[in-house]
Every structure is written in C-alpha cells, then in structure tokens.
C-alpha cells in the first residue's frame, strides 16, 4: 500500500457503470496498490465500487460537488495500513452496522500484540469486521484466481457478515474457506508471510549432513589417494563422491523420521500413560517428520539418477574398456563369479524395491491423496510401509558393504567408510522397533494408546497431574 | 474409549479458564481417550469444557459442591461407547433441545443394524444429533489437523445443529465436509474402519498373476536350462526373471482396465439400451479399473527401473566383456546390423513413449488433478490416451518378440515364452475396440449412450421393465 | 437428452417407494437420458421422484387417474433441451415459488446470447432458478461420484434455493462448490464443453518446434552424412535424433515460460506504472506459462529416459566393443583424459540437478500442493527456483557444446548444430533477468509493483488515464 496516506481530506470515488442501478455497491478505503487492484477486479466483475481515500490529489479530474451516500454500500473493504486505522475511528458513526473487510497484512510477524482485524473491531465495535482476501497475491486480486491464490480464507464473528463476504469472493471466482471466528485473524495475517517454516529444520539438517559427509569422504577418498598413492582422482568429486553423500544423508534422514516415534513409544511405556505432553524437542521433531521424509526422498531420487548415469560416464566406460584390454593383454580371463552376480543383483533389486516403496510414501503424502485416505489407511502406509522402506534401504546398504566390513583396507586413516556411518541410526531404529513389536510390549503400548493408564500409587499421583493438564480443575455433580 | 465406564454416579467437570466468562461452554460425555483428547484440544482452542462422566474416581481432586448448569452448554459431545447410550436415555430431559455430537466409532463394520448416531437420535428424539469428528485420528483430536485428518465430515438432520458443529470444527482448524442428513451416518462410521477396500481385488490379482508367472518362468528358464543344459543360471532369478514377470503382469492388468469397458459396450449394443443394469461382476470390475491401472503402473515403473540398471549389473558387464574378448580371440568381428539397431531402438522408444503416456494417466488420476478436469477432458485422457497407452505397450511387447514367434527354439518343453502369454488379453481388447470404432457400430453405440433405445416390439416390453426400474410405477396427469 | 420431446400432453410419474411418506418429493421434467439417470440416482438415494414429461407413451403401464400434487415437490429438475423451455412458460403458475434446477448443457459454446439458466429465470420469474449438476457425466448422475465428477458446481440468486439444491447434492454424495449468483451460469455451462483450452497453444507450439527441429536435424545429421559421407545412419532417427529434438524443444519452451515475465517487467519499467494493462498477446502468453512449463517438463522427462537407455542400445554397445577391439588391434590404448572425465561428469550432474529442480516445479504446480502454499512460497519456488532451473538446464547445454562451438567441423552445410539454436532464447532471458536484478533497476521495479508511479508531468496525465481505467470517474466528498 502507498505510504503517503497523510493529507486530511477524505474522498470517495464511485465507479459509475453502465447499469449501475441494479448492482450492489461496495466501498473501498485506501487507493494504494491493494485497494486499486481489488477495486479494478470488483469493478470488472460487475460491482459498483466507491473509493474512500485521503488523497484528493490522487483522485484525478473530479466532477465537482458529486455526493455519495456511503450508507448505500454495506461492505467496506479496508485496504489501508494498520497505522492509519485510528483515522477510521473518526468514521465510526458512518461505519456502524457495516461489514468491514480487513484486507491488511503486516510487514513481519508479531509486529503488534493483537491482529489487525481484532484491533479494527475494537476501534469500531459498531461494525462487523471480517478478515479476508489478505492471503491473495496482488496479481490474483487484480486478475482473479491463480495457482496459489485460488482460496480466500475468511474469519469473523458474525455469520451474516461472513456470508456477505463469501458471496463476493465466490463471485470473483475464488473458493472460500471459513476459518471460524475473528480469533483466527492472527493466523490469517501470518499466512502470507510464512516461507516454508516447517521445512527449515529438515533442510538445515540435510545441508549440514551433506556438507559433513562431503568433506569427510573428500578427505577419505580423494585427498587420501592423493597423499598416499599420489593419484589425482579429483574428477570423482563431481559424480562418484556426490553419489556416496546423497544416499548416506538420505538414509540417515529417513531413519530420523522414525526415530522420534520410537522414542515417544518408549516414553509412553515408561510413563505408563499417553496423557503427559512430550518434551518440546520431541514434539517439534515429530511435527517435521513429513518434511524430513520428503527431503530424504529427494536425495534418494538424486541417488537413483546418479546411479543410472554411471554406465554412460566417460570414466566408467574407460575403466571397463581398460579392464577388458588388460585381460586380453595378460591373456587371462577372470571366470564368471555367480556369488558376485547374486550379490550385485540383490543389492540393486533391494534398492529398487526400497525406492519404489519410498515413492509410494511420497505420493500418499500429497495433500489430495492423504485427504481421501482414512487415517487408518494413512497410518498403515506411513507407518507399516514406512518401516518396510527403512528396512529395505538399510538392507540395501548392508548388501553394498557385504564383506568390506572385514577388510582392513577399507579403514583408511582410521576413518570408517561413509556407508558404515550411515548405518548406525537406521540399525538402532530398526532394533528398537523390533523390541516394540514383541507381543508383551506391543499389547501394553496399545492399551496405553487407547487411554489406559498404569495405576501404581505414586504413578497415580502423576497421573492426576496429567489429568489436570487435561481438564485443569474437575468437580463432581450428581445428576 | 476406556472400557470401564460402568459406575453409577455421574460427574461433570468444568475446565475453569482465565476468561471463562465470554467463552462458549461445551459439554463432553465420557472421559475415555476420545473424550479427553477432544476436551484437551477444545480447551486449548479457548472453549470452556464441561465433562460428563460416570467415573468420579477418575476426576481427580474435587472442589466440593461445585455446581454446573448443563443447560449453559448447547453442544454436547458424546464420546462413550454405543453400549452405554441407554444410560443417556436417563438424561433425555436435560438433553432436550441440545446438539448431540456423536463421535463414536465401532470396532468393526455392520456390528449393529442402525448407525450409532441414528440409534442415539432414536433414544433422545428431543435432541438434534450430529455425526462428526469420528473420522479423525486420536492424534488429530489431541493436536489438531494432520495429514489424513484435515477434514471433518459431519451429517445431521438439523441445519442449525450442523452449523454449530461446523463452527467448532473450523475453529479447531479443520476443513468441514457436510455429508447431508443423518442417513449418511453409517457411511461416516464405516469410513475410519476401511483399509483400501477397492484395492483388495486388484492387489490380489496382481499377486496371483505375479506368483503364477514367476514359477512359470522359473521352470521355463532356470530349471529348464539346469535340467537340459545342466547350466546353473539361478542368479538370474533376482533381476532378469523379475524383469520378465513385472512387465507381463503389468501389461495384462492394463488390458484388464479396458476389457470391462469393451464388454459393457457390446452388452449395450446387444441389449439396445443403456437403462439395464450390468451384471454385478461387471459393475464391480468397472469400479476397480482405476486401482487396476495404478497397480499396473507401479509394476511398469519397476520394469523401467529394472531395465535401466541392466548395464551396471555384474553379469551383463561380464558377458559384454567376454563377448568382446571372444571376438578378438577368434579374430572375427561381427558386422554392424542396421536392422538390429532399428529393431532394438524402436523397441525401447515405443516402450518409453508408452510409459510416458502411462505416467500421464497416473498423474491425471490424482484427486486434485481429476477435480479440475471437466469429465470430457478426463474421459479423453483416460479413454483415448488410455487405449493409445495400451496399444504402445502391446506393440512394445510385439517388438520384443520380433521374429522369436517363429523360432521353435523359443518353445521349450512346449511352454510358450511369457511375453506371448501376456499378449493374449491386450490383443483381444484392442481388436474388440477396433470393432467398436467402426462407423456403423460407433454411431449406434453413441445413440444408445445418449438414451436412445432400440424399439422392436418384444424389446419394447423389456424396455418398459427397464423403465420401471427407473421410475417403478408411472402415472399420467394432464395439466 | 432425447430429441423427440414434442407431443403436447404432459405426464407426471411418481416413484412410489416403500416409505414414501416421510421422504422429500422431487420433480424431474424430461425423461431423456439426463432426466432418467438423475431420477434413478435420486430414487436410489431415497427421494420420492415425480417425472414430468410430454411423452405419455414413454411412461409405460399407467395406474389410471392417479393424481400428483406438484406443489408437494419444492425442487424441480429441468432436464429438457433449452429449445423446449418455452413449453415451461405455460407451467409458470404451477412453478411459482419453486426451485428450478437447470441441468441443461448446450452442444457447443456461445450458441445463445444468454445462459440457459438465465433464460429460464427470465421465462419463469416467479421461480428461483439454480444452475447445477450439469458439469457431471451421465455416468456420475447414474452411479454417483466418480473421478472427474466428484464436485457439483451450483450458482443462483437465492441463497435458500441454493441451500436446498446443495442438500440434495451432498445427499447424493457429491462435494458442492457454490459459484455465486446466476451470472456464473454461462461459465458453468461452458465447463463441460471445454477440452484443455489453455493447453492448445503450448501443445501446438511444442508440436511445431518438434517438427521443425526434427527435420532440421534430419537434414543436418542423417541426410548430410548420407550425401556427403555416403553413410546410412538412418537408424539413428529412432532414438539419437529424438534425444536431440526433445531436450532442444524442452529448453526453448522452458525459457518461453520466463520470457513474458521479463518483458512485462521491462514494460512496467518503461511505463513507470503497473496500472496499465499489458497488450493482449502478453496477457495470453502469461496465462499459459504453467502449461508451457509442464509440456517442457514432459519433454525433459523423455530426454532423461532416452538418455538412460543409451547404454543398453545395440548400436552403442556395438560401437563401444568395436572401439575396444580397434584399440587392441592397433595396440595403442588412449590414455585417461581427466579433463574429459570432469567435463562429461559435470555435464551429466548439472543436467540431473536441473531436472530435479524441474520436477520440483512440476510437483508444486499440482493443484493440491499449490493450494497449501502461501503465494509467497509459491512465487519463491516458481520464480526463484524456476530461474535456477533455467540456468542449470542452459548451463547443461553449454557444457554439452563445450569446445564444439569453435570447431568448424560442427557447421555442416552452414547449418548450426541444434543445441546452439536452442541456446539463443534461454541465454537472452537469463541476461535480461540479470539486468533486472541490478540493485537500481530492481528497487525501481519493486516500488512500481507496490503501486508507486513515476510522476513526471506528461506521464502524470497517462497516469490519470490509467487511474481512470481503475475507477473510471472519481469524485470528492469531505466527510
């Protein structure tokens, strides 16, 4: 919105239209970007629009002495900065009984103690404030629904007021989502400001792990062979090294999706109740599992592509040819090794199956897909198939290692090969999960999750506190 | 829900909150898992919650003699087992005029003749029963919307009652879908219990076919070469064999997606009307076409991955090298075969194009995508492009066969090669489809599908019966 | 709908049902396909259906003298052709106060000046017309919601009327989208007729470019080598040639997604305002960017698959073997070329990363995904990551060219290699984008997009006009 809303006179500019008579009249306060984009759109859709502004100079050539009865307009769109709301207070009488649509956004989160819409409602208690349209892009406000701006979120305390706004929104071609009462305004005002909040942690983690393993393997493979064997294999950095780092990070992150669940289970077993809140770090962790998984999936896909281009890489082709040639030169052909065939094939196949399941998990986490699933179906896929995926991927890595675990040659400079490091967390998760699947443990856990609570005296007390956490003060009434 | 709801005293526990005054009061019956999770959530969202329970002992330290006016709460969430509904009957007077939200679920489908909600309505006719919240996971009830639990389905006979519940649900952050009157309750109560019902058949079919072809090819390839040539190629089971089974099953299942449509068309042609119901097996078959197709797509994708890893497999590399070496040893180089180049290339390319189209079909069957398509667009893709896909994939297989059809060598132990078997159904489907595309046939079919009916006397009678099936008893009224 | 609605008598046929008493009665005019399918469905759902038809003969055996009080039915579904609406005019008195649901569709767009529903409303002003159900397939009308027919769009001027229709639709199991007032009827009536309108241009473009580059490369590679070197490499057409054409077209189309944005930016800079409409061609171009991108993505995916099958192609294997053999024959082995290794690897890796980002763009343009994104997130991905993708893909192509740019050998018949041509547009776009990122330019542009306008006198005038375009006539009112 334009900054220079500061002069004192207030102007209202009606959009006279061919058949103005039978059209609903809307009023827009503020001739900033938002106000004008919205007005243009409303005008094109066939509404009669009246502008309210304090910038007469910006109002162009004016037919003198025209009067506008504001009362004719039931809806008033407030497209001015929160700083200028106080100016609206002066209009309180005129705005009494009107529906004020607060379209405003702030420059950053938590700038003010209360949401703009709530502030506006407080200023003009006589009006019915509805928060809405603020989640749309200026482009969408001007040209109608587009990709990320198909939905208009509205919230407000008066149902009729909301209904009126919803009518306008649908007429503009938007889909409307009612977010309940005005208390949701803050959430709606924060929405346009957010930039993948729940992706931060997973992405940082991915970056961190990638960086670490990159340098780790750089030292272990490239630099080592340069120092010790005095051989320059730096060209491997581009593809070979990356193709080691990605799967490692991917596997670790996949296992990190399932670790918190296991921890939570053991915590519930230990506490003997499900009604105690988890520590915050665990809650936060659980809430970004989906993102963790998707980032891991992305890395896994890269790993797949990197693997599939192996045979067309110059380096690989050269080595294969060289191998063949050397065989001929020395005139000794290595015999066919069936074990080797079994081993590599199963290594690849397990990998493929793991990746296939992984893709399935990714697809079912698409909003439209998960929406049509019952949560039983969803948890079946995400939990059961999820662990199966983890198992496949871990097994895939073990097969990769095969007997290298025993070869001292693979421990250069006392540094373990990368894939061994990547196996630690997944193995732990799988073992813990196995423990949880033991009949006795499983049954207890199930009962706890169905609300049952262990009741040894001193637990009981805790139990009460937890209960208090639920209803914070209980009383008895005999009907 | 906790089983031990059985003592006789009834307790109501209000959650006293900072600004309890201006908050709406909700009542929850049942302090089982569901009740407490829901209560906690409602409480956090800023509602004043009152618990109704028959377990005073679970109500913790009680401020003596507190009184709660139930009438203050308009909404009552019923979170107790259906078995205990009769206890509610005793409260009928207090519950008169209230909105009862039935959150209950059953342990398995069709346990009772009527839906819980309808049963509740019958017990307490004075109240307005709304079914809702039962499709959410306990986790979502406790911590708010998550993947598969973003939507709350509600149904009920009173619009106002539903509106009130919807208000609460949206305030909790859920998206609400109104499923109409209380008759939909059964459907809502079955929803949380379902576990991919419409996927059963396709998955069983896939498993069956896969198993059959696996053993068929196991005998034909591995065992045969072991017995006859005394050569152990068991290592091929892992990748080579699977890479034969998957495409075979995939192709067959793809064709099975289109077979019922063709059958239906011929049935309509024969009957000369579209107003007769199809036999049940055909209906069921048609209803799981989408799932058939998606399973087939999954198998096709596996086939693609299996094919792409061929060149990095040890066995393949070894064979190639061995071939080169042998060429040198015998000092005769096989000349370049242009036909062979054409053949293999077109074989691969057709496969790729088929798979590409296949992916397109898969993507358009995503709910969110098919929702934005007009059904004309949808049927264009699923039918026209679908048949094109089937044609490509079939042609791909024929190219694979090429001249092997004529080589007696490929008929070991009188067993046809797998791909030949896989070609039967698709070929049939394609031929039948071609017949349907003949102008004369096509036009007739189109007219039938537009409601036209063949009208030779004795058909006419059938025709009537079919009409009766539509309106079962007609009458004439001259306005 | 059946054509022969022409006799004069009018018949109403009630569906007598077991418990007809407590069921709502609906009336359907027209016993054509639509009418009967809908009736069947409504009947199965438990409604009492009355048919209104002018074809007594089609009404089967009639219990004589049955009377039907039409007034009992509040909802009347109009399933007859617009041509026969005038016949409804005669029923105007009976239809007074009823809700008329216009289910009709036209055979092609813009057949009539006004929408069917609006026409109907004009004919029977006493009734409340609601447009709806017309976007469903006959199949969905008969058997309930299916893939592309899950949603029922309704529009109408009376809220109550709409509410009543919505109730029925939800009871039939559909999700309802309210499109506002009856003015939206036209849009609803055009919807079922559309067949990927916004995909036309991109697909035509893709086809055109593909055809051009195919023949261009056919001449340059195949024919040239046939004429000049008298060597038949026609077999390359199938895979090698296609694998050149696809990436070229894909890259060009990707850059064409971002060109209009850049042009628009420069236009805004030149005009010094954002309130002037863009030329139509630019608007149209901008509106099909998404489709351009998705088509390009499809081609890119084909390119990937074509590339991945390279090593299993007969031609490639033969050439590699031949190369090895020749090396041995001539007994000179080419040394390992590190630069070459670096080059090819980075070439592939950049390609993979570009494709990965590309897929990400594709996924986020899925409706359900873009719906959950704030537009800030969406534009971050589509714009920032989009340009990154374009950069990667362009760089990938440059790496492919490497030093070939300098080799005269690559200019056969004065025809540039295809990839060079493909680099023109992307390079231009990237350079222009870089210019726009210059601090000074960027800041100006940002201010303009926030509504600021350059104000040198003669611009100011234009400015006014543009402002007029927004509110077309302003006036001043001192509150």
């Amino acid at each position: 919105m334009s900054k220079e809303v500061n002069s004192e006179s207030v102007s209202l500019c009606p959009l006279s239209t061919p058949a103005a008579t039978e059209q609903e009249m809307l009023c827009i306060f503020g001739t900033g970007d938002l106000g004008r984009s919205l007005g243009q759109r409303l005008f094109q859709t066939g509404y009669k629009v009246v502008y309210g502004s304090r910038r007469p100079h910006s109002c162009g050539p004016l037919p003198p002495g025209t009067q506008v009865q504001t009362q004719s307009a039931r809806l008033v769109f407030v497209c001015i900065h929160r700083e200028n709301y106080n100016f609206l207070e002066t209009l309180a009488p005129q705005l009494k009984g009107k529906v004020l649509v607060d379209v405003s956004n702030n420059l950053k989160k938590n700038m003010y103690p209360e949401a703009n819409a709530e502030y506006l409602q407080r200023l003009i208690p006589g009006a019915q404030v509805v928060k809405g349209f603020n989640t749309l892009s200026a482009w969408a406000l001007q040209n109608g629904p587009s990709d990320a701006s198909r939905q208009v979120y509205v919230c407000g305390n008066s149902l009729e007021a909301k209904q009126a706004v919803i009518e306008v929104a649908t007429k503009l071609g938007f889909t409307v989502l009612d977010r309940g009462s005005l208390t949701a305004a803050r959430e709606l005002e924060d929405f346009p400001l957010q930039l993948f909040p729940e992706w931060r942690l997973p992405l940082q983690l991915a970056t961190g792990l990638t960086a670490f393993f990159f340098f780790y393997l750089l030292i272990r493979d490239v630099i080592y062979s340069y120092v010790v064997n005095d051989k320059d294999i730096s060209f491997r950095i581009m593809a070979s090294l990356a193709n080691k780092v990605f799967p490692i990070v991917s596997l670790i992150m996949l296992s990190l999706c399932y670790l918190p669940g296991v921890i939570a289970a053991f915590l519930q077993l230990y506490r003997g109740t499900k009604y105690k809140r988890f520590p915050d770090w665990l809650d936060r962790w659980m809430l970004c599992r989906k993102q963790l998984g998707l980032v891991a999936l992305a890395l896994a896909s890269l790993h797949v592509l990197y693997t599939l281009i192996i045979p067309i890489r110059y380096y690989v082709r050269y080595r294969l040819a060289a191998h063949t040639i050397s065989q001929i030169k020395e005139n000794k052909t290595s015999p066919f090794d069936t074990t080797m065939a079994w081993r590599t094939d199963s290594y690849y196949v397990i990998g493929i199956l793991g990746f296939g399941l992984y893709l399935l998990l990714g697809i079912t986490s698409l909003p439209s897909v998960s929406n049509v699933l019952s949560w039983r179906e969803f948890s079946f896929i995400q939990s059961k198939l999820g662990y199966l995926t983890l198992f496949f991927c871990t097994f895939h890595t073990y097969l990769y290692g095969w007997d290298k675990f025993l070869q001292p040659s693979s421990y250069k400079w006392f540094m373990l090969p990368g894939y061994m490091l990547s196996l630690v967390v997944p193995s732990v998760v799988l073992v813990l999960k196995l423990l949880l699947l033991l009949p006795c443990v499983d049954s207890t856990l199930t009962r706890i999750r169905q609300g049952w609570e262990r009741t040894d005296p001193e637990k009981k007390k805790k139990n009460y506190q937890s209960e208090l956490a639920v209803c914070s003060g209980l009383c008895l009434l005999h009907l």
Side-chain angles (χ1 to χ4, degrees), chain A:
Chain A
M1 258 178 280
S2 58
K3 277 256 151 297
E4 64 273 6
V5 183
N6 39 34
S7 81
E8 265 326 305
S9 63
V10 172
S11 65
L12 286 175
C13 349
L15 304 183
S16 57
T17 62
T21 52
E22 42 88 67
Q23 290 165 319
E24 196 185 342
M25 155 104 68
L26 302 175
C27 180
I28 297 179
F29 277 178
T31 53
D33 180 25
L34 233 73
R36 294 163 74 178
S37 307
L38 183 57
Q40 193 171 3
R41 178 77 186 151
L42 287 166
F43 180 59
Q44 286 159 2
T45 319
Y47 282 102
K48 194 168 160 196
V49 180
V50 175
Y51 269 92
S53 157
R54 301 192 302 164
R55 287 188 304 161
H57 67 273
S58 86
C59 276
L62 305 170
T66 328
Q67 288 291 329
V68 173
Q69 60 287 21
T70 351
Q71 49 276 30
S72 67
R74 189 159 172 257
L75 256 68
V76 178
F77 289 88
V78 179
C79 307
I80 60 179
H81 271 172
R82 180 199 177 103
E83 296 80 51
N84 308 309
Y85 280 7
N86 44 26
F87 139 79
L88 288 172
E89 212 166 0
T90 63
L91 299 175
Q94 289 92 329
L95 296 175
K96 196 157 184 345
K98 293 204 182 305
V99 176
L100 296 186
V101 187
D102 184 322
V103 190
S104 66
N105 278 322
N106 299 325
L107 297 176
K108 56 185 187 304
K109 289 187 175 183
N110 312 320
M111 275 174 78
Y112 303 99
E114 71 190 329
N116 298 355
E118 290 173 305
Y119 172 55
L120 183 60
Q121 182 69 84
R122 198 157 51 71
L123 282 177
I124 309 161
Q128 303 161 318
V129 175
V130 173
K131 185 79 198 184
F133 290 96
N134 67 310
T135 57
L136 299 176
S137 67
W139 168 271
L141 274 174
Q142 207 161 356
N143 312 19
S146 72
D147 305 282
S149 306
R150 299 200 174 290
Q151 302 176 316
V152 166
Y153 296 86
V154 300
C155 72
N157 296 328
S158 146
L159 273 179
E160 304 70 37
K162 260 192 284 188
Q163 196 51 52
V165 178
I166 289 174
E167 273 290 295
V168 175
T170 43
K171 205 160 178 184
L172 292 183
F174 295 101
T175 318
V176 181
L177 273 79
D178 186 339
R179 302 321 281 129
S181 68
L182 208 54
T183 45
R186 147 134 289 137
E187 181 192 331
L188 262 57
E189 288 172 8
D190 286 346
F191 185 68
L193 295 168
Q194 79 183 26
L195 191 59
F196 302 108
E198 70 279 9
W199 286 86
R200 293 259 161 70
L201 187 56
L203 285 175
Q204 286 162 352
L205 185 62
T207 326
L209 284 170
T210 312
F212 168 75
F213 278 104
F214 177 77
F215 289 113
Y216 182 85
L217 293 175
L218 189 67
I219 297 169
R220 200 181 163 288
D221 298 359
V222 180
I223 296 179
Y224 176 90
S225 80
Y226 187 76
V227 173
V228 176
N229 318 346
D230 186 27
K231 210 154 111 277
D232 172 16
I233 55 167
S234 56
F235 67 86
R236 286 212 196 170
I237 292 172
M238 209 61 203
S240 316
L241 207 61
N243 198 21
K244 280 184 177 179
V245 175
F246 289 145
I248 290 174
V249 178
S250 176
L251 180 59
I252 293 179
M253 292 190 73
L254 178 61
S255 56
L256 288 180
C257 297
Y258 293 97
L259 186 51
V262 176
I263 296 176
F266 276 103
L267 210 58
Q268 289 178 329
L269 278 173
Y270 167 74
R271 290 171 167 180
T273 174
K274 60 168 277 189
Y275 292 111
K276 275 228 230 69
R277 295 207 64 66
F278 294 126
D280 282 357
W281 58 268
L282 189 53
D283 267 337
R284 271 203 307 284
W285 191 353
M286 285 182 133
L287 285 175
C288 69
R289 278 181 295 182
K290 180 178 173 182
Q291 286 72 21
L292 277 170
L294 289 176
V295 173
L297 176 54
L299 291 171
S301 318
L302 283 179
H303 167 50
V304 169
L305 283 172
Y306 271 80
T307 310
L308 291 179
I309 57 156
I310 286 177
I312 48 177
R313 287 173 55 198
Y314 165 78
Y315 157 67
V316 177
R317 284 182 170 175
Y318 181 88
R319 220 188 42 202
L320 286 177
H323 180 65
T324 319
I325 294 170
S326 69
Q327 279 189 334
I328 299 193
K329 289 258 172 69
E330 298 140 23
N331 193 2
K332 61 162 183 55
T333 54
S334 56
F336 181 74
D337 175 353
T338 316
T339 331
M340 190 65 173
W342 266 105
R343 169 185 158 185
T344 53
D345 278 5
S346 23
Y347 161 61
Y348 291 130
V349 165
I350 298 294
I352 289 178
L353 296 177
F355 182 67
L357 278 172
Y358 213 155
L359 276 180
L360 186 64
L361 296 184
I363 292 168
T364 49
S365 64
L366 283 171
S368 63
V369 178
S370 57
N371 274 343
V372 296
L373 296 176
S374 77
W375 65 267
R376 183 171 169 221
E377 296 171 326
F378 186 76
S379 61
F380 171 83
I381 289 183
Q382 294 297 333
S383 156
K384 294 226 177 13
L385 292 193
Y387 276 108
L388 192 61
T389 314
L390 182 57
F391 171 74
F392 272 138
C393 296
T394 316
F395 189 43
H396 171 69
T397 318
Y398 273 110
L399 279 172
Y400 171 79
W402 197 256
D403 53 5
K404 293 210 207 70
F405 289 100
L406 313 170
Q407 297 163 2
S409 70
S410 52
Y411 304 92
K412 310 169 183 171
W413 284 348
F414 309 106
M415 292 169 89
L416 288 167
Y419 71 88
M420 289 194 192
L421 296 180
S422 74
L423 278 169
V424 180
V425 194
S427 313
V428 171
V429 174
L430 287 173
V431 169
L432 291 178
K433 182 64 184 176
L434 274 180
L435 288 179
L436 289 173
L437 289 179
L438 296 176
C440 53
V441 188
D442 187 42
S443 61
T444 328
L445 191 58
T446 316
R447 275 161 64 219
I448 288 177
R449 292 199 169 152
Q450 285 168 348
W452 171 87
E453 302 181 69
R454 203 183 299 123
T455 51
D456 51 278
E458 51 80 38
K459 270 244 168 302
K460 186 74 185 166
K461 216 182 280 78
K462 285 218 203 68
N463 191 334
Y464 276 146
Q465 279 129 34
S466 78
E467 186 122 13
L468 292 180
V470 182
C471 32
S472 66
L474 304 166
C475 70
L476 187 59
L477 168 72
H478 288 281
L479 293 174

